[in-house]
Amino acid sequence: MKILILGATGFIGLPAAQAFVRAGHVVYGQTRSAAKAKQLVAEEITPVIADVKDTASYLPFLVGTLDVVIDAAGGTDLKELSDDLLSATVAAVQAHRPSHASKLTYIYTSGTWVHGENRAEIVTDTTPLTNPAELVAWRPAQEQRVAVNPLLNGIVVRPALLYGRSGSLFTPLFKGAHAGEVVWAGTPGGRFALIHADDLAELYVLVAGKAAIACGKTFDAANDVTESVDAVLQRLVEVSGAKGPYRYAEPANLYEVALGTTSIVRPYLGRALLGWQPRKAGLLDLLEVYYNAWKASEGLL
């Protein structure tokens, strides 16, 4: 297949791009940075150097022969960006894709924060979304726009909290630990729904390859079990040498509220339909390895 990944040098996009290359596909990776484009070339990924918002500079020239577009773009204005990217892709398909071509597969990256705070009940891929975290309250509607679009094979992937490699959203926590204090925004007794970046990448490959059965569906991407926030924080004190005890802080903004959200996520669709199974060790089990990986990425080893 020919794959275009938007946000191809990000924490989600790069492992996904690498996984598609390993699987034998032709991968185009959008990036704004010429320096990062060299990184993509070294990974056998063809760089598309453009601002992701400037869709007119790349979509018309690629969409006619692509099989899959993956929206893994990040940023501070994701609500507007997500809708704009979907609309631009649909417009490019109508204007530049041959009428006899198969439907373009479009994979939208959402997140499990749409399940919201719920420490009592298990939620999964098909659980109705009634209480999303305020920061992402717009996302359920965007998920539906992707899933029901008549011109695309629309698919939604919802990663849980990512770990591994350079740290992702755990970077501020690791930075604080390295500086001597372990602090987490939230309250005691929470649970982490987690997924390693490499396992998430494998899900993208499976979803894209089996788009005929995955289209119109939403896949929660999370490990088999959630992990105790308290246990992870205590272990981080031990592996980092930070001054204990760890402590909780009042969330300072909607992002920190979302970050501290507990959802007991137990996905089934990826496993049942695609044979997907996370294989990486959990965050707590190999926290020292993951903490050191972050340190190495920051030049701290």
Side-chain angles (χ1 to χ4, degrees), residues 106-141:
Y106 188 92
I107 303 174
Y108 170 61
T109 304
S110 181
T112 57
W113 286 346
V114 294
H115 289 297
E117 176 74 16
N118 190 337
R119 301 190 178 192
E121 297 176 327
I122 291 173
V123 294
T124 191
D125 317 70
T126 51
T127 300
L129 305 177
T130 60
N131 184 39
E134 186 176 349
L135 181 72
V136 296
W138 56 272
R139 269 187 169 161

Side-chain angles (χ1 to χ4, degrees), residues 195-261:
I195 189 65
H196 193 284
D198 292 350
D199 286 324
L200 175 61
E202 291 301 322
L203 178 60
Y204 281 111
V205 173
L206 288 170
V207 165
K210 298 184 179 182
I213 60 173
C215 64
K217 296 179 176 59
T218 298
F219 297 86
D220 282 352
N223 291 342
D224 291 334
V225 295
T226 56
E227 299 188 30
S228 164
V229 176
D230 292 288
V232 169
L233 298 182
Q234 176 57 40
R235 181 61 180 150
L236 184 57
V237 169
E238 296 166 2
V239 303
S240 68
K243 180 181 178 182
Y246 65 85
R247 66 180 179 88
Y248 288 92
E250 188 71 21
N253 49 53
L254 291 180
Y255 168 75
E256 290 191 352
V257 171
L259 197 60
T261 295

